[in-house]
Amino acid sequence: MPFSRVVRVASISFTCLISLNKKHVKNMDLPVVPLHKHPQYTMECCKLINSEWPRSETARLRSLESSGDTLPTCLILLRDSQSLL
């Protein structure tokens, strides 16, 4: 049965513990944001995804640029508010 209603999540974030040199543990808050709200990361996402699953850049960009408030939605994980993880 297809979804008849999409529930919007206002904010999602992950808390990660990252081990650095097995001595120091760093706690990081990693926000998950919709790509269409941060289009400056589209090309970087395209290159990252294509490095793992090759596809033409044009097709990949079309797919990523179809992200919107309704499905399909592309989500990205940010290291902080300024850099893509």
Side-chain angles (χ1 to χ4, degrees):
M1 174 181 221
F3 291 102
S4 59
R5 184 174 168 200
V6 176
V7 178
R8 186 189 307 186
V9 177
S11 175
I12 301 172
S13 66
F14 291 97
T15 299
C16 244
L17 293 177
I18 298 177
S19 177
L20 304 171
N21 299 329
K22 297 184 181 183
K23 293 180 181 178
H24 177 73
V25 175
K26 184 177 180 183
N27 189 3
M28 293 180 68
D29 188 38
L30 303 172
V32 177
V33 297
L35 180 59
H36 62 278
K37 302 277 186 180
H38 301 274
Q40 69 271 26
Y41 299 120
T42 303
M43 184 54 75
E44 197 172 346
C45 287
C46 177
K47 290 177 183 176
L48 177 65
I49 295 168
N50 275 352
S51 71
E52 190 66 30
W53 299 285
R55 188 176 176 195
S56 79
E57 188 174 283
T58 302
R60 182 70 67 196
L61 285 172
R62 270 194 210 131
S63 182
L64 292 172
E65 289 168 350
S66 70
S67 178
D69 286 334
T70 59
L71 296 176
T73 299
C74 299
L75 300 174
I76 57 175
L77 187 65
L78 298 176
R79 182 173 304 134
D80 53 45
S81 62
Q82 300 298 318
S83 62
L84 184 65
L85 186 64

